[in-house]
């Protein structure tokens, strides 16, 4: 877990400045990820790193395409995000969907890692945040579709998928993001997740929130963790509906 990232250059030729190490040596980052129940094994497989920017140590989510490092997104513990400039925009976890026919798309890197913790590796995260609302304009052609360039850049994987489960956040922006992606991916093969209720009037926001709510009750209890996996399976494979039929 403490080894350096051996490839200092992005595919585009942009140099990664500074040293990258795995996320476990720094206590604050370790606590942050541990609180979200993300295991060291999952961090290592996804090559989650850390980097010093100024006086702060930040989490570095490395983006890979066919084994090549192409971009990196940094997360401060204050939830501020920055990305390397002039790098190729792709899904986080893209290589995990290269040979699958069913894909799950979530809204953040932590959600992708949470999905993996519960057994779903056929999952990717969008690289940017969600829009505030659905655009009233027609979907632009690929050459002008800047905001969703990551979809076009990942088309080789996406075109193989027979079913795409969109599991973005349950808030307004998350729903807008789901709609915008479905427009581009083809609604006939897109399904949307309805996260379960956590109270009478409130739904869970995303995959990690569902997982954390149940993990806090059943931490270290194997049988209950298996129930959690079953719950998320139910959420994904039962509580979703074809586009336009919710």
């Amino acid at each position: 877990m403490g080894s350096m990232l051996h490839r200092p250059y992005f595919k585009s030729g942009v140099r990664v400045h500074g040293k990258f190490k795995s996320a476990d040596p720094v206590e604050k980052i370790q606590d942050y990820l541990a609180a979200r129940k993300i295991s060291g094994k999952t961090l290592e497989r996804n090559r989650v790193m850390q980097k010093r920017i100024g006086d702060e140590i930040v989490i570095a989510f490395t983006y890979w395409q066919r084994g090549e490092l192409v971009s990196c997104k940094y997360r401060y513990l204050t939830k501020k995000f920055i990305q390397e400039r002039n790098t190729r925009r792709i899904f986080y976890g893209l290589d995990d969907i290269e040979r699958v026919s069913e894909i799950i798309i979530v809204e953040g890197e932590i959600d992708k890692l949470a999905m993996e913790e519960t057994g779903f590796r056929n999952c990717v995260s969008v690289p940017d945040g969600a829009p505030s609302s659905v655009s009233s304009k027609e979907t632009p052609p690929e050459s002008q579709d800047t905001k969703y360039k990551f979809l076009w850049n990942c088309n080789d994987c996406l075109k193989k998928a027979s079913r795409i489960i969109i599991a973005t956040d349950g808030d307004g922006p998350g729903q807008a993001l789901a709609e915008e992606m479905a427009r581009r991916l083809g609604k006939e093969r897109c399904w949307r997740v309805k996260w379960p209720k956590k109270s009478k009037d409130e739904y869970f926001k995303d995959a990690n929130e569902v997982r954390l709510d149940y993990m806090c009750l059943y931490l270290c209890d194997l049988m209950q963790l298996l129930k959690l996996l079953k719950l998320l399976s139910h959420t994904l494979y039962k509580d979703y509906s074809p586009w336009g039929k919710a």
Side-chain angles (χ1 to χ4, degrees):
M1 284 292 291
S3 60
M4 295 291 186
L5 183 62
H6 295 296
R7 299 181 180 180
Y9 291 91
F10 288 128
K11 195 173 184 179
S12 62
V14 177
R15 183 168 177 77
V16 182
H17 297 285
K19 296 179 178 179
F20 286 73
K21 296 181 180 178
S22 58
D24 64 336
V26 176
E27 186 176 349
K28 286 185 178 180
I29 288 181
Q30 183 179 13
D31 291 347
Y32 178 87
L33 294 169
R36 285 152 181 78
K37 313 303 179 192
I38 307 299
S39 68
K41 181 180 178 180
T42 295
L43 295 177
E44 186 171 16
R45 196 190 78 82
N46 289 275
R47 289 172 278 199
V48 178
M49 308 288 174
Q50 68 185 32
K51 182 180 180 182
R52 180 175 292 279
I53 299 179
D55 296 329
E56 295 188 61
I57 298 292
V58 301
I59 303 170
F61 295 107
T62 55
Y63 281 64
W64 300 78
Q65 186 170 24
R66 293 176 180 170
E68 293 291 333
L69 177 63
V70 299
S71 189
C72 192
K73 181 176 177 180
Y74 306 107
R75 176 175 179 142
Y76 290 76
L77 299 186
T78 56
K79 211 177 178 180
K80 172 187 174 183
F81 295 93
I82 59 173
Q83 289 182 310
E84 288 282 351
R85 296 180 180 179
N86 303 317
T87 55
R88 185 174 176 82
R89 294 176 65 245
I90 60 172
F91 281 117
Y92 179 65
L94 178 61
D95 286 353
D96 286 340
I97 63 167
E98 190 170 10
R99 296 180 179 85
V100 299
S101 60
E102 186 166 275
I103 294 170
I104 303 167
I105 302 176
V106 294
E107 196 173 321
E109 292 85 358
I110 295 291
D111 286 333
K112 186 267 189 291
L113 300 179
M115 282 292 190
E116 180 165 328
E117 289 288 348
T118 50
F120 300 102
R121 282 194 180 180
N122 59 325
C123 179
V124 290
S125 169
V126 300
D128 304 312
S132 58
S133 60
V134 177
S135 174
S136 59
K137 300 179 181 178
E138 290 187 6
T139 302
E142 178 182 351
S143 60
Q144 300 173 24
D145 200 11
T146 307
K147 171 67 176 172
Y148 298 95
K149 187 69 174 176
F150 64 92
L151 292 175
W152 301 104
N153 287 341
C154 300
N155 193 47
D156 284 349
C157 287
L158 293 171
K159 66 185 180 183
K160 301 173 188 175
S162 57
R163 178 156 58 184
I164 300 173
I165 300 171
I166 300 180
T168 50
D169 292 0
D171 56 14
Q175 293 299 318
L177 175 60
E179 175 66 26
E180 292 287 2
M181 287 195 292
R183 287 180 176 183
R184 291 159 173 81
L185 294 169
K187 292 185 178 181
E188 69 281 355
R189 61 177 179 152
C190 287
W191 297 61
R192 54 184 173 182
V193 168
K194 180 180 179 181
W195 297 112
K197 279 191 171 185
K198 63 178 175 181
S199 66
K200 182 179 178 180
D201 302 314
E202 190 177 6
Y203 286 87
F204 286 100
K205 177 175 175 284
D206 54 36
N208 197 47
E209 190 174 277
V210 172
R211 182 169 170 271
L212 287 177
D213 187 84
Y214 284 82
M215 285 284 282
C216 70
L217 294 175
Y218 305 124
L219 186 61
C220 299
D221 186 327
L222 178 59
M223 292 305 296
Q224 295 296 348
L225 290 180
L226 291 174
K227 289 181 180 179
L228 168 64
L229 177 58
K230 185 176 180 180
L231 168 72
L232 274 183
S233 298
H234 176 80
T235 298
L236 284 172
Y237 295 102
K238 299 291 185 182
D239 290 344
Y240 64 67
S241 57
W243 222 259
K245 295 183 180 180

